[in-house]
Amino acid sequence: MSEPLRIKLDRTLCDGFGICARHAPDYFSLDDWGYAVLVGDGNIPEQHRDAVRRALLDCPVHAILEIGERRPDETPIQPLREPDLDQLKTEDNEAEWGFTR
Ligand code: SF4
Protein backbone atom coordinates (compact mmCIF):
# COMPACT_ATOMS: atom_id res chain seq x y z
CA MET A 1 0.00 0.00 0.00
CA SER A 2 1.35 3.44 -0.90
CA GLU A 3 1.78 6.27 1.57
CA PRO A 4 -1.12 8.68 2.10
CA LEU A 5 -1.00 11.88 0.09
CA ARG A 6 -1.83 15.12 1.83
CA ILE A 7 -1.55 18.45 0.07
CA LYS A 8 -2.08 22.09 0.75
CA LEU A 9 -2.47 25.00 -1.59
CA ASP A 10 -0.61 28.26 -1.05
CA ARG A 11 -3.01 30.70 -2.65
CA THR A 12 -0.52 33.54 -2.25
CA LEU A 13 1.63 31.83 -4.89
CA CYS A 14 -1.14 30.87 -7.30
CA ASP A 15 -0.99 32.72 -10.61
CA GLY A 16 -4.26 31.35 -11.91
CA PHE A 17 -3.11 29.23 -14.80
CA GLY A 18 -5.81 26.68 -13.96
CA ILE A 19 -3.72 23.62 -14.74
CA CYS A 20 -4.57 22.00 -11.39
CA ALA A 21 -8.31 22.30 -11.98
CA ARG A 22 -7.90 20.67 -15.37
CA HIS A 23 -5.90 17.73 -13.99
CA ALA A 24 -7.88 17.17 -10.79
CA PRO A 25 -11.22 19.00 -10.90
CA ASP A 26 -12.47 17.10 -7.84
CA TYR A 27 -9.79 18.77 -5.73
CA PHE A 28 -9.20 22.14 -7.33
CA SER A 29 -11.69 24.70 -8.50
CA LEU A 30 -11.12 28.24 -9.70
CA ASP A 31 -12.58 31.30 -8.07
CA ASP A 32 -14.18 34.18 -9.95
CA TRP A 33 -10.74 35.60 -10.76
CA GLY A 34 -9.34 32.29 -11.97
CA TYR A 35 -7.25 31.47 -8.91
CA ALA A 36 -7.23 27.98 -7.50
CA VAL A 37 -9.20 26.90 -4.46
CA LEU A 38 -8.54 23.59 -2.74
CA VAL A 39 -11.66 21.47 -2.50
CA GLY A 40 -11.75 19.28 0.60
CA ASP A 41 -9.29 18.90 3.43
CA GLY A 42 -6.23 18.02 1.36
CA ASN A 43 -6.34 14.29 2.02
CA ILE A 44 -6.24 12.54 -1.31
CA PRO A 45 -7.57 8.99 -1.63
CA GLU A 46 -5.39 6.52 -3.47
CA GLN A 47 -7.55 6.38 -6.61
CA HIS A 48 -7.06 10.13 -7.22
CA ARG A 49 -3.41 10.43 -6.29
CA ASP A 50 -2.02 10.30 -9.80
CA ALA A 51 -4.23 13.15 -11.01
CA VAL A 52 -3.46 15.30 -7.97
CA ARG A 53 0.25 14.54 -8.18
CA ARG A 54 0.15 15.53 -11.85
CA ALA A 55 -1.46 18.84 -10.81
CA LEU A 56 1.20 19.30 -8.13
CA LEU A 57 4.04 18.66 -10.56
CA ASP A 58 2.58 20.78 -13.36
CA CYS A 59 1.78 23.86 -11.28
CA PRO A 60 4.19 26.40 -12.75
CA VAL A 61 4.58 28.34 -9.49
CA HIS A 62 4.72 25.35 -7.08
CA ALA A 63 1.68 26.57 -5.18
CA ILE A 64 0.57 23.01 -4.43
CA LEU A 65 2.62 21.41 -1.68
CA GLU A 66 2.73 17.87 -0.42
CA ILE A 67 2.66 17.62 3.34
CA GLY A 68 3.43 14.51 5.27
CA GLU A 69 5.06 12.79 8.16
CA ARG A 70 8.06 11.70 6.13
CA ARG A 71 11.36 13.47 6.63
CA PRO A 72 13.45 13.65 3.49
CA ASP A 73 16.66 13.22 5.45
CA GLU A 74 16.89 11.09 8.56
CA THR A 75 20.46 12.22 9.31
CA PRO A 76 20.73 12.98 13.03
CA ILE A 77 21.26 16.61 13.93
CA GLN A 78 24.86 17.23 14.99
CA PRO A 79 25.35 18.87 18.40
CA LEU A 80 26.94 22.30 18.44
CA ARG A 81 30.67 22.25 19.03
CA GLU A 82 32.31 24.43 21.64
CA PRO A 83 34.51 27.07 19.98
CA ASP A 84 38.27 26.58 20.30
CA LEU A 85 39.10 29.55 22.52
CA ASP A 86 42.81 29.33 21.65
CA GLN A 87 41.94 29.97 17.99
CA LEU A 88 39.45 32.76 18.68
CA LYS A 89 40.28 36.01 16.90
CA THR A 90 40.11 38.97 19.25
CA GLU A 91 41.60 42.45 19.43
CA ASP A 92 44.21 41.08 21.81
CA ASN A 93 45.67 38.77 19.17
CA GLU A 94 44.81 40.67 15.99
CA ALA A 95 48.48 41.13 15.11
CA GLU A 96 48.72 37.32 14.88
CA TRP A 97 45.78 36.80 12.56
CA GLY A 98 46.39 39.83 10.35
CA PHE A 99 43.34 41.99 10.83
CA THR A 100 43.82 45.50 9.47
CA ARG A 101 41.56 48.47 9.92
S1 SF4 B 1 -1.78 25.18 -11.41
FE1 SF4 B 1 -0.86 26.38 -9.74
S2 SF4 B 1 -0.85 28.46 -10.49
FE2 SF4 B 1 -2.27 27.31 -11.76
S3 SF4 B 1 -4.26 27.63 -10.82
FE3 SF4 B 1 -3.42 25.75 -9.99
S4 SF4 B 1 -2.35 26.37 -8.13
FE4 SF4 B 1 -2.71 28.20 -9.32
Side-chain angles (χ1 to χ4, degrees):
M1 189 169 136
S2 60
E3 292 186 30
L5 176 61
R6 290 180 58 218
I7 60 163
K8 68 178 183 178
L9 172 67
D10 186 343
R11 296 193 71 208
T12 64
L13 295 176
C14 176
D15 265 348
F17 293 96
I19 296 166
C20 55
R22 245 180 285 141
H23 284 312
D26 291 342
Y27 298 93
F28 300 97
S29 64
L30 302 178
D31 66 14
D32 292 343
W33 295 274
Y35 294 100
V37 177
L38 183 63
V39 178
D41 62 2
N43 288 305
I44 311 301
E46 190 161 352
Q47 69 268 25
H48 296 144
R49 278 193 202 135
D50 288 347
V52 171
R53 216 178 277 283
R54 180 86 264 154
L56 185 151
L57 293 171
D58 282 358
C59 174
V61 294
H62 308 289
I64 305 163
L65 307 167
E66 181 175 355
I67 52 178
E69 313 268 317
R70 269 183 307 145
R71 290 180 52 193
D73 181 1
E74 294 292 337
T75 307
I77 297 169
Q78 299 296 318
L80 289 175
R81 286 183 307 142
E82 289 293 324
D84 183 355
L85 296 179
D86 292 335
Q87 299 294 318
L88 200 61
K89 296 175 180 174
T90 66
E91 286 187 10
D92 293 337
N93 64 7
E94 75 178 64
E96 296 170 25
W97 54 271
F99 181 76
T100 56
R101 293 176 202 241

